[in-house]
Amino acid sequence: MKKKKKTTEAERVVFTKEMREMGYTILIPTMLPRHFEMIAKVAGAYGYRAEVLENTGPATIEKGLRYVHNDTCYPAQLIIGQFISALESGKYDPRRVALLFAQTGGGCRASNYISLLRKALKKAGYDYVPVISLNFAGLEKNPGFHISLPMLRRLVYAVLYGDLLMLLENQCRPYEVRAGETRALSDALTDRLAGQLGRKSRLSYREIRATYAEIVSAYAKIERRQEERLRVGIVGEIFVKFSPLANNSLEQFLIDEGAEPVVPGLLGFAQYCIYNAIVDTELYGRGKRFRPIFRFAHKFVLKKQNHLIEAVTQNSDFTPPAYFEMTRRLAAECIGLGVKMGEGWLLPGEMLDLIHSGVTNIVCTQPFGCLPNHIVGKGMMKPIREKHPEANIVAVDYDAGATVINQQNRIKLMLANGREIAAKKKEEASV
Ligand code: SF4
């Protein structure tokens, strides 16, 4: 079999130091708007001009379908579609932009999306646009783009802030007495936090922790109705789980249907990636010499997560996020931790975590044809249901050809089932 050739620097457009100094705008595809807004500001604090794309809608999907084969993963179609339509929009000078694309470095196709993007750029006449790979696996390098340790630390804070806003917003918005109050607070806080993370001066961890407490207290002041709603967990492939563009605004749909969405945060995925690096050293001896670094990173993020959980429990009656170590332990009871293609063991781990915390109704979002996540998502439902008969899980496929009505009908059926189970439980308890 012919060995696949690695793309060399001579074959790709490299993002150079000169491009950075010339003020090229780095375009970032959207996934979690609040998180990414803050991430862009962190990049700004370290000398990069970055902007999160806001173009969404059917035109974006159409562009993706035009330039990417429809057998390719749905997230790749959406991200590439978003990039190409942004370049064609006239809003940017294509000769002064670079595109930032994440490469997971795992065995899945996500590591190769970047070559699909380059192919699409060539087809659309933008082959001169540099593509920057965002990866921590030593894959492609660009002399004009480097994430230093202090920048990495601030990026972790941006993820923590983003997760905190998402967590509290989801616990307030379905119950708010004054419509729109939670959204307005989240928007104001996103601006404030982005400003804090984007400043050039030193940012101490003490200040970050004090800000956590302020954020929690601000949400706790929102007047909420005392009503019982079905709490519904959202798990799945990272892009369709989080991106409103990919999952047809699933959180909003659940709120409109009288439920409360419960979404495990982005930090969990980052922790899963770090922990997998440790597993690789144990199972395959891969990257053994970096093991102390992976362990340090793992402990560092765990500690930061604990502080965030403390801030929620000490300042409010909100439900805090799950401890990563708990998710990992629960996952290990039903799946090997070596299963790390796609979202791997994290996906059943998050389902189990939700069930243990009383959130037994779950939507498992999956791109159509995503083999790894069908195995660790849909494929794990039977063993999870055997252990937890109360679990009410529905798997929903997302792709350009799927109709929103079909997706919503499946979710509505799960909600009806969940309500029936809850009513029965109440009846049994009152006897
Ligand atoms: S996890 Fe699924 S959607 Fe993501 S790259 Fe792999 S196959 Fe594609």
Side-chain angles (χ1 to χ4, degrees), residues 218-405:
Y219 280 97
K221 281 189 194 127
I222 292 177
E223 197 184 339
R224 287 167 281 159
R225 286 185 302 274
Q226 294 296 319
E227 74 183 39
E228 254 181 57
R229 279 183 173 236
L230 216 58
R231 299 180 72 216
V232 179
I234 302 178
V235 298
E237 186 276 338
I238 183 170
F239 196 77
V240 289
K241 171 184 164 185
F242 289 129
S243 163
L245 170 67
N247 63 28
N248 299 317
S249 303
L250 179 56
E251 280 171 69
Q252 185 60 53
F253 174 72
L254 289 173
I255 294 176
D256 293 344
E257 286 299 311
E260 177 196 320
V262 183
V263 192
L266 180 59
L267 190 76
F269 184 77
Q271 287 173 296
Y272 158 79
C273 294
I274 298 169
Y275 193 79
N276 284 344
I278 300 173
V279 171
D280 271 350
T281 64
E282 285 162 4
L283 292 181
Y284 314 114
R286 200 175 127 191
K288 246 182 176 164
R289 68 200 163 102
F290 297 116
R291 195 181 151 115
I293 300 174
F294 300 146
R295 281 206 167 278
F296 173 80
H298 176 59
K299 282 194 183 144
F300 173 82
V301 183
L302 276 185
K303 206 167 149 193
K304 303 292 167 206
Q305 188 194 35
N306 290 349
H307 291 154
L308 182 109
I309 293 173
E310 256 172 51
V312 177
T313 49
Q314 286 172 5
N315 297 289
S316 71
D317 58 353
F318 291 122
T319 310
Y323 286 97
F324 176 77
E325 283 303 81
M326 179 57 103
T327 312
R328 184 173 69 80
R329 255 179 252 142
L330 288 169
E333 286 173 18
C334 71
I335 193 168
L337 297 187
V339 183
K340 48 193 181 56
M341 203 68 87
E343 272 54 37
W345 57 263
L346 180 72
L347 213 168
E350 287 186 342
M351 288 202 252
L352 287 164
D353 227 338
L354 287 164
I355 295 168
H356 273 254
S357 63
V359 184
T360 50
N361 308 291
I362 299 170
V363 182
C364 179
T365 60
Q366 320 185 120
F368 179 75
C370 163
L371 184 64
N373 285 317
H374 273 74
I375 294 169
V376 294
K378 215 172 191 169
M380 287 308 293
M381 286 180 196
K382 194 170 171 239
I384 290 178
R385 283 201 194 105
E386 278 168 4
K387 265 186 145 187
H388 302 277
E390 73 279 22
N392 176 33
I393 315 172
V394 64
V396 182
D397 286 338
Y398 291 86
D399 84 337
T403 64
V404 180
I405 292 294

Side-chain angles (χ1 to χ4, degrees), residues 92-200:
Y92 308 98
D93 174 359
R95 300 239 169 229
R96 288 270 177 150
V97 297
L99 312 179
L100 187 77
F101 210 143
Q103 260 189 307
T104 56
C108 213
R109 289 188 275 182
S111 296
N112 303 313
Y113 285 176
I114 206 157
S115 35
L116 293 178
L117 172 60
R118 289 201 177 102
K119 215 169 144 194
L121 287 172
K122 197 170 173 190
K123 234 165 123 188
Y126 298 108
D127 53 354
Y128 51 85
V129 175
V131 179
I132 304 168
S133 160
L134 177 67
N135 73 81
F136 298 97
L139 300 169
E140 288 184 11
K141 290 191 177 75
N142 286 276
F145 188 80
H146 167 69
I147 298 184
S148 62
L149 265 181
M151 180 175 168
L152 188 59
R153 204 179 307 131
R154 262 194 213 195
L155 288 172
V156 173
Y157 301 151
V159 172
L160 283 156
Y161 275 161
D163 280 356
L164 186 59
L165 296 191
M166 182 166 71
L167 178 100
L168 301 176
E169 186 173 324
N170 277 333
Q171 291 183 48
C172 288
R173 208 149 71 86
Y175 308 97
E176 66 189 4
V177 171
R178 286 173 290 280
E181 191 180 356
T182 314
R183 265 274 158 88
L185 174 65
S186 302
D187 289 348
L189 283 172
T190 307
D191 284 351
R192 185 189 142 193
L193 301 173
Q196 185 197 62
L197 292 167
R199 77 178 190 220
K200 297 232 164 34

